Amino acid sequence: MSTELEVFIRRCANEQGLSLAEVARRAGMSRQSLYDFWSRDGYPNLGTVAEVAEVLGVHPLRLLELQFPDHGDGEDRCHTLRWNLDRAGLAAALLEHGPQPVVGLDAEGRVALCNPAASELLQRQPQRVLGEPAERILPGEALARIRTQCPLMTGDPAPPHATPRGGVRLSTRRGEDGSLLQARAQLIEAPLHERPLVLLLLDPREPGPGATAEGPPHPVDREPLTGLPDRDSTEALLRWTMQRAEARDTELAVLVVQLDGFERTEAGLGAEIADRVVHGVAERMGGQLRHADLLGHLGRGQFAAILPETGSRSGALQVAQRIGQALEQPVETGTCTCRLQPRIGIALFPEHSRHAATLLEQARSAATHTAADHQPGQIVEPDLGDRVARRVSLIRDLRRALDRHTLCVHYQPVFDLASGELTALEALLRWPEDPTPQPGIEEVIDAAEQAGLLGDLDRWVVEQVLADLADWHAQGRRVPRVSVNTAGRTLGTGALDPAVLSKRLERLGLPAHTVDIELSERQLLETGGAGHEGLAHARRHALGVTIDDFGTGYASLVSLRDLPAGRLKVDQTLIRDLPTDPDQQALVTSIAGLAQRFGMGLAAEGVETGQEAELLQQMGFNEAQGYHFGHPAPAEVIAGRLTAAS
């Protein structure tokens, strides 16, 4: 019977298109030695472990775990204990002397391991940091994220196996020259032979000047769905490939493939069908690439193909044409057939950029601008350069603003049309004060969605709102309802979990309906059943729910009956010219009548004149906001407008 290690090696070799003989050859061993490696008992050779792991593109610890499986359910307890001690001892030796920079933290947050590779990268002598608090070498924000991701550091018992805990980005200063080091760290909780540790497997985000890596970067984080490198790992692989191309004076191409209509498929047919589509597309694309090419999944129906030594326009277009033809046929999901139009953008190194993030963004922008006329692909044109550079710069600045907590939340007052009292506030994200031109908030949100930061952005806003609510409550102010805009895909996660949010408000001494979740009509349509369920979940926990930007043309009026919301906020485009446009008045009157019929509150945004406010009140609107009532203001200014609690 095959061992788990044998099955794993065969599967990894097959995924990379390698025979076992080729794996053995690249690892500097005979095929018989490879058989012995997975079949023998006792200690394996650490050099062999490292060589085989490098060929397969996996971390050596994964091979060790399979070489020494946990027999915790077995009857021979002594044998089990010895086997696990052997595995832990070998893992510790590999971490101490391997090429991967590794820092280990104990449960108290002290540095327990700093191997020579990490010492060289951080320019810190091990004897000066061992036993010291991790703050000596890690930034506080990164350490806080590590603590939240690793139960071992919050007092939970160590897992019996080496357990991945995700990854973090960190920026820190090297010890000797003080230069900035930007790195990504994969987190693993490992039960080593002396004590359990949280291991940080470090991978610099940008290569140093003149560096020429011989092998792909470790670790490569792969998605469970496709088995492909995720967004961050794809960018790291692109940097490594560009580095090699520059050293060899060759060119390369990057293709970004977008599946036109994927969001409609996901919203209409559900996440399970969408996952099958993604898996099928990944298999088809992989079949059109060469052995040396790399394929990654950027998320939400977007893929990136890295083509080394294919820097010519004609060569890249040929590959794009093959991929386009492979995706022409509908994707069978078992229950239905999906047809998606691929849009393919192409960027060339070094012609278009020497920076990995910019090159990916250029290819993505080219894909977005591809006409749906069955052309094989769109190569980056000069006029895209400025827009792409701005977007890449904005994403970089957004990551920095989130890490440094320099974003702002302003609040726009909402008034009761009948009494004139302030009844609510809408939390609005604002860019930090800066002398440079400010990006528009819609531009910031688009950039966050593209970079996979939308969830981080939503959670940051919620945390800031909760902090401001706590301050107002502590000052004895009457705390009004606060509306928080969110993306449908982030609702129900982390700070946006309705159960968690309701509990936190309860601990502040505030009712759950103090926070009102706002989801735009467009986002509700895009997220389909998941968005409806998320809002229904929020209502079950007594949170307020508002459908924002209603009337922008995405949903029909009859759909009001099924919306899981207690309030509608009509889009400002329907309020503009309302007093002078009879057709506009008829439409808004219809919306108001149906909302009242289904027991929903009515609010209007973008109200700029008293005439508009008076007309809205006559139509049955309860609340309104806009420049006629007040401009958005920081929390400290709003505090002065709140009345004392009775």
Side-chain angles (χ1 to χ4, degrees), residues 68-363:
F68 290 85
D70 184 11
H71 297 292
D73 295 328
E75 297 180 359
D76 188 348
R77 300 292 182 181
C78 292
H79 179 74
T80 298
L81 177 62
R82 177 54 191 267
W83 219 241
N84 288 330
L85 286 174
D86 287 348
R87 179 177 61 185
L90 283 170
L94 189 64
L95 291 169
E96 286 280 1
H97 305 293
Q100 169 81 48
V102 180
V103 171
L105 308 180
D106 63 19
E108 290 72 42
R110 295 183 176 275
V111 180
L113 169 66
C114 182
N115 72 353
S119 174
E120 181 179 356
L121 179 66
L122 298 170
Q123 296 186 9
R124 306 268 187 171
Q125 293 299 320
Q127 60 269 27
R128 295 190 177 184
V129 297
L130 291 177
E132 295 293 324
E135 287 85 351
R136 294 287 181 89
I137 59 173
L138 297 176
E141 313 89 28
L143 190 57
R145 291 198 297 274
I146 292 169
R147 286 195 170 103
T148 61
Q149 290 176 226
C150 299
L152 178 63
M153 300 187 72
T154 58
D156 285 1
H161 304 282
T163 305
R165 297 296 187 190
V168 296
R169 293 184 182 87
L170 55 89
S171 297
T172 189
R173 295 288 176 182
R174 291 182 170 92
E176 299 296 329
D177 60 9
S179 61
L180 181 66
L181 169 66
Q182 290 186 320
R184 191 174 190 280
Q186 184 181 8
L187 305 177
I188 295 178
E189 288 187 347
L192 300 181
H193 63 289
E194 291 183 348
R195 53 181 164 169
L197 297 180
V198 173
L199 303 176
L200 282 69
L201 311 183
L202 300 174
D203 176 41
R205 294 183 59 193
E206 293 289 349
T212 56
E214 290 300 324
H218 276 297
V220 174
D221 294 332
R222 298 181 181 273
E223 287 189 330
L225 175 61
T226 62
L228 297 176
D230 62 14
R231 179 191 296 268
D232 289 340
S233 291
T234 299
E235 187 175 324
L237 287 167
L238 178 56
R239 285 196 298 269
W240 168 73
T241 312
M242 292 166 62
Q243 196 178 0
R244 287 175 47 134
E246 189 165 24
R248 299 173 182 180
D249 196 23
T250 58
E251 300 173 330
L252 65 86
V254 177
L255 275 62
V256 167
V257 180
Q258 295 183 347
L259 302 178
D260 200 18
F262 178 77
E263 288 190 352
R264 292 191 298 273
T265 298
E266 188 175 33
L269 300 177
E272 184 178 351
I273 297 298
D275 286 350
R276 293 179 188 174
V277 170
V278 168
H279 190 270
V281 169
E283 288 187 337
R284 290 192 192 181
M285 287 186 62
Q288 304 306 314
L289 301 179
R290 304 167 302 170
H291 171 67
D293 298 335
L294 300 169
L295 181 61
H297 187 210
L298 305 180
R300 297 191 59 74
Q302 289 191 7
F303 297 84
I306 304 170
L307 314 178
E309 301 180 11
T310 308
S312 70
R313 292 169 177 260
S314 60
L317 284 169
Q318 287 175 6
V319 176
Q321 188 169 23
R322 291 203 306 269
I323 291 175
Q325 290 172 348
L327 299 181
E328 279 182 358
Q329 297 301 316
V331 178
E332 300 289 343
T333 65
T335 57
C336 62
T337 300
C338 299
R339 184 184 295 275
L340 300 169
Q341 174 67 40
R343 295 178 181 265
I344 304 176
I346 303 169
L348 307 175
F349 169 84
E351 178 181 342
H352 294 130
S353 178
R354 293 179 175 271
H355 190 272
T358 302
L359 206 65
L360 273 173
E361 171 60 14
Q362 286 176 325

Side-chain angles (χ1 to χ4, degrees), residues 253-531:
V254 177
L255 275 62
V256 167
V257 180
Q258 295 183 347
L259 302 178
D260 200 18
F262 178 77
E263 288 190 352
R264 292 191 298 273
T265 298
E266 188 175 33
L269 300 177
E272 184 178 351
I273 297 298
D275 286 350
R276 293 179 188 174
V277 170
V278 168
H279 190 270
V281 169
E283 288 187 337
R284 290 192 192 181
M285 287 186 62
Q288 304 306 314
L289 301 179
R290 304 167 302 170
H291 171 67
D293 298 335
L294 300 169
L295 181 61
H297 187 210
L298 305 180
R300 297 191 59 74
Q302 289 191 7
F303 297 84
I306 304 170
L307 314 178
E309 301 180 11
T310 308
S312 70
R313 292 169 177 260
S314 60
L317 284 169
Q318 287 175 6
V319 176
Q321 188 169 23
R322 291 203 306 269
I323 291 175
Q325 290 172 348
L327 299 181
E328 279 182 358
Q329 297 301 316
V331 178
E332 300 289 343
T333 65
T335 57
C336 62
T337 300
C338 299
R339 184 184 295 275
L340 300 169
Q341 174 67 40
R343 295 178 181 265
I344 304 176
I346 303 169
L348 307 175
F349 169 84
E351 178 181 342
H352 294 130
S353 178
R354 293 179 175 271
H355 190 272
T358 302
L359 206 65
L360 273 173
E361 171 60 14
Q362 286 176 325
R364 192 202 65 79
S365 295
T368 302
H369 289 81
T370 301
D373 57 2
H374 301 289
Q375 60 182 349
Q378 173 71 45
I379 296 180
V380 170
E381 297 298 337
D383 64 333
L384 285 176
D386 291 343
R387 280 178 289 167
V388 169
R390 175 177 172 82
R391 176 59 61 90
V392 172
S393 175
L394 179 57
I395 290 173
R396 183 187 64 242
D397 292 344
L398 178 58
R399 292 186 191 277
R400 185 182 300 123
L402 284 169
D403 287 341
R404 298 178 180 178
H405 302 284
T406 56
L407 293 167
C408 309
V409 171
H410 286 192
Y411 296 90
Q412 184 167 36
V414 181
F415 286 86
D416 184 277
L417 286 170
S419 67
E421 294 182 356
L422 187 150
T423 56
L425 300 167
E426 181 177 4
L428 300 170
L429 179 70
R430 289 293 182 264
W431 195 250
E433 293 295 331
D434 193 296
T436 60
Q438 299 278 304
I441 293 304
E442 288 299 325
E443 187 181 3
V444 173
I445 293 173
D446 287 345
E449 184 170 14
Q450 179 197 326
L453 297 173
L454 202 53
D456 296 329
L457 202 59
D458 279 351
R459 285 185 284 274
W460 186 89
V461 171
V462 169
E463 293 293 343
Q464 186 60 51
V465 167
L466 290 174
D468 291 337
L469 286 173
D471 287 345
W472 295 334
H473 189 56
Q475 294 168 18
R477 308 283 184 180
R478 186 188 300 276
V479 178
R481 185 181 81 246
V482 177
S483 297
V484 178
N485 295 281
T486 181
R489 293 185 298 279
T490 63
L491 186 59
T493 61
L496 283 165
D497 184 327
V500 173
L501 191 51
S502 178
K503 281 288 186 185
R504 294 183 66 178
L505 287 166
E506 183 182 341
R507 286 198 293 270
L508 290 176
L510 297 171
H513 60 74
T514 302
V515 169
D516 191 274
I517 301 296
E518 285 196 4
L519 189 67
S520 75
E521 184 184 358
R522 176 179 63 84
Q523 290 168 335
L524 187 64
L525 181 68
E526 288 179 353
T527 53

